[in-house]
Amino acid sequence: MVHFVGAGPGDPELITKKGARLLSEADVVIYAGSLVNPKLLELCKREAKIYNSATMTLDEVLNVMYDAEEKNLTTVRLHTGDPAIYGAIAEQMDALNEKQIVYDVIPGVSSFLGAAASLKKEYTLPGISQTVIITRQGGRTPVPESESLKKLAAHNSTMCIFLSVHKIDEVVNELIEGGYKKETPVAVVEKATWEDEQILWGNLENIAEKVHNAKIAKTAMIVVSPCLDATYEPSRLYAPDFSHMFREAKV
Ligand code: SAH
């Protein structure tokens, strides 16, 4: 059997209990070496065979899985963050389906949430934004035109932009052209939840320069959000005059 496991954003304690258990039981581990914290591999059995997918093609990854399956071994495919977000697991699952190999998926803490924790911010403030857009700038992997940053910017919502910090100039230009004010707050979190994480605070007008000065070119989340610096209405849920299923109004 193959387990696709979300490793979390970096801090090795942010993997789920189930993910950690499966990792400690696996005979074969294929991990995304460019982003997964290698400290997690300390959980593996001493005799486990460990492969770094950063240097492998899809076919090579699949062949390791097929081979393990033939020998009745258990494989963990360890992806950074949550496997469902830019994890390229669809093609692996399709291939396993074709071979009728059984697999499951163990979710993980995605880096956009690791970044929120590092920033100590809420992405959804009443009256400010109630929507989080997860997206990226197009690159070698194209993004459908209807989802361009420029189009998405029209919502003025919270936006978490993956895989794009090396194109920060293009990103801010598109966002401003698309409708965010230049003063919209932006935070860039490099290696959120890792020991050497770095946070830059700014706005759409000045963040690109800060990113260049800090020489951040990968493993970073761009968080654009009016919520990062907003005066907001406290949540209705905890208001004293608000009744709901579990609590009568107290005034
Ligand atoms: N599946 C992963 C994303 C993989 S794509 C997840 O759920 O987080 C890789 C991109 O994720 C990076 O380019 C970067 O934008 C982001 N990323 C991954 N780990 C990160 C971290 N610790 N801090 C900030 N961004 C991170």
Side-chain angles (χ1 to χ4, degrees), residues 28-48:
V28 175
V29 174
I30 311 167
Y31 74 106
S34 52
L35 287 162
V36 167
N37 192 332
K39 280 199 181 147
L40 278 170
L41 302 176
E42 291 169 12
L43 295 174
C44 298
K45 292 195 286 201
R46 202 156 4 119
E47 64 274 24

Side-chain angles (χ1 to χ4, degrees), residues 95-237:
L96 296 182
N97 284 337
E98 221 162 86
K99 297 245 177 207
Q100 296 184 328
I101 293 174
V102 180
Y103 59 85
D104 62 6
V105 182
I106 319 303
V109 176
S110 180
S111 56
F112 80 98
L113 297 173
S118 297
L119 294 169
K120 301 192 175 87
K121 289 290 177 188
E122 178 171 347
Y123 289 156
T124 53
L125 292 178
I128 308 292
S129 176
Q130 291 287 289
T131 305
V132 182
I133 295 178
I134 292 168
T135 189
R136 61 170 298 173
Q137 175 69 294
R140 274 189 292 178
T141 305
V143 171
E145 169 51 28
S146 59
E147 298 179 359
S148 68
L149 288 182
K150 196 168 158 183
K151 291 218 165 117
L152 297 176
H155 299 287
N156 272 259
S157 69
T158 295
M159 206 188 277
C160 295
I161 308 174
F162 286 68
L163 294 159
S164 304
V165 76
H166 59 294
K167 295 189 171 176
I168 189 74
D169 297 285
E170 255 175 65
V171 168
V172 296
N173 286 342
E174 276 206 47
L175 293 177
I176 293 169
E177 270 177 49
Y180 279 103
K181 293 201 190 83
K182 286 184 178 163
E183 308 77 56
T184 307
V186 184
V188 169
V189 190
E190 184 195 35
K191 297 188 83 176
T193 81
W194 289 67
E195 276 172 11
D196 53 347
E197 97 177 359
Q198 192 181 176
I199 298 178
L200 303 179
W201 297 94
N203 58 36
L204 280 175
E205 201 163 29
N206 63 23
I207 197 72
E209 196 185 342
K210 293 183 184 197
V211 166
H212 293 310
N213 289 343
K215 298 195 167 48
I216 297 176
K218 62 179 172 67
T219 325
M221 186 63 49
I222 307 169
V223 180
V224 183
S225 176
C227 296
L228 294 179
D229 174 20
T231 321
Y232 57 92
E233 294 282 317
S235 154
R236 292 298 299 146
L237 189 61

